[in-house]
């Protein structure tokens, strides 16, 4: 369970990450990266972290060339979907009706994120990590996409784990209602995560 928590120097792997082979020489331009941030009030919680074993997430996406959007799309880091005309794969492939080509999206591991931006310190600072400070926007998940924009992340299910200040770990934290609470018998104190907010920004 301790492995569910990590810092900037740790490597977080989400299942079978998609291969990053460029689609072709003509289409190997850098794909934009979208980062999901979480802000919450922590009570007697040392860290809130996306679980490494959690591979399925729910997102909203928008056609990169129009206003067409799809809500609550499931993306699974264990999926390796073959990309037409390429040796690469993606975790999610979507065909928008008015688009000439299929759009794709994959979840980035911490290791891949750091390697991608190793020469850009300001962007490396946006690497997904545990939430350790109350009421501060913290990056928790990153997506690389082509042909679509990730516009929202829905916190559904128990994709997160929490570590209390006593050291006790809760490995099934459901934030779908916007808050979570338990009682830490070891320390004889309540533990809670409240006022949960989520936003998605594109790195530039």
């Amino acid at each position: 369970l301790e492995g569910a928590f990590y810092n900037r120097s740790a490597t977080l792997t989400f299942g079978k990450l998609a291969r990053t082979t460029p689609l072709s020489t003509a289409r190997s331009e850098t794909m934009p990266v979208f980062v999901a941030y979480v802000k919450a009030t922590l009570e007697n919680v040392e860290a809130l972290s996306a679980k490494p074993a959690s591979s399925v997430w729910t997102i909203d996406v928008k056609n990169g060339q129009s206003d067409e959007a799809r809500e609550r799309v499931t993306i699974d880091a264990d999926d390796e979907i073959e990309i037409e005309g390429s040796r690469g794969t993606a975790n999610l492939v979507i065909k928008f009706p008015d688009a000439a080509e299929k759009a794709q999206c994959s979840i980035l591991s911490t290791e891949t994120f750091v390697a991608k931006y190793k020469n850009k310190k300001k962007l490396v600072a946006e690497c997904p990590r545990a939430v350790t400070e109350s009421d501060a926007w913290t990056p928790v998940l990153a997506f690389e996409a082509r042909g679509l924009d990730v516009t929202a992340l829905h916190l559904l299910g128990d994709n997160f784990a929490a570590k209390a200040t006593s050291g006790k770990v809760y490995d099934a934290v459901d934030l779908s209602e916007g808050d979570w609470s338990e009682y830490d018998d070891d320390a004889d104190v309540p533990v809670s995560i409240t006022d949960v907010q989520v936003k998605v920004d594109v790195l530039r």
Side-chain angles (χ1 to χ4, degrees):
L1 292 178
E2 290 294 328
F5 297 90
Y6 59 97
N7 54 37
R8 294 184 185 181
S9 62
T11 297
L12 176 62
T13 301
F14 291 92
K16 300 176 182 177
L17 293 166
R19 298 192 295 275
T20 57
T21 305
L23 297 189
S24 69
T25 302
R27 298 172 58 197
S28 60
E29 70 276 3
T30 300
M31 292 192 288
V33 170
F34 298 86
V35 177
Y37 298 80
V38 166
K39 181 169 72 171
T41 300
L42 310 179
E43 179 186 17
N44 296 317
V45 172
E46 178 181 311
L48 170 69
S49 177
K51 295 190 295 186
S54 294
S55 64
V56 181
W57 298 85
T58 303
I59 58 178
D60 291 350
V61 300
K62 185 183 79 67
N63 186 342
Q65 303 300 320
S66 73
D67 292 330
E68 182 182 1
R70 296 191 186 182
E71 297 181 349
R72 295 181 179 265
V73 176
T74 298
I75 181 170
D76 188 341
D78 286 335
D79 286 345
E80 293 187 24
I81 304 170
E82 297 290 337
I83 300 171
E84 295 178 4
S86 168
R87 291 174 296 170
T89 64
N91 298 144
L92 173 67
V93 175
I94 291 179
K95 179 64 170 71
F96 291 104
D98 58 349
E101 298 180 343
K102 292 180 179 179
Q104 60 176 280
C105 183
S106 292
I107 296 171
L108 287 181
S109 69
T110 298
E111 181 179 41
T112 302
F113 188 101
V114 172
K116 183 180 180 71
Y117 294 117
K118 61 183 179 181
N119 296 322
K120 299 179 180 179
K121 293 183 178 180
K122 288 185 178 181
L123 296 183
V124 169
E126 304 307 310
C127 182
R129 57 185 180 271
V131 178
T132 59
E133 183 180 350
S134 277
D135 305 314
W137 287 111
T138 305
V140 297
L141 198 62
F143 305 88
E144 188 173 50
R146 174 180 281 126
L148 64 78
D149 297 339
V150 179
T151 58
L153 172 69
H154 298 277
L155 303 184
L156 305 177
D158 55 359
N159 292 101
F160 287 84
K163 183 178 182 180
T165 50
S166 69
K168 185 174 183 177
V169 173
Y170 300 86
D171 62 353
V173 175
D174 185 347
L175 299 175
S176 59
E177 297 299 322
D179 54 43
W180 169 87
S181 62
E182 280 287 350
Y183 193 81
D184 186 348
D185 294 326
D186 296 343
D188 195 27
V189 295
V191 292
S192 67
I193 301 167
T194 57
D195 299 323
V196 178
Q197 300 178 56
V198 186
K199 70 176 182 178
V200 176
D201 288 337
V202 62
L203 294 187
R204 301 186 184 280

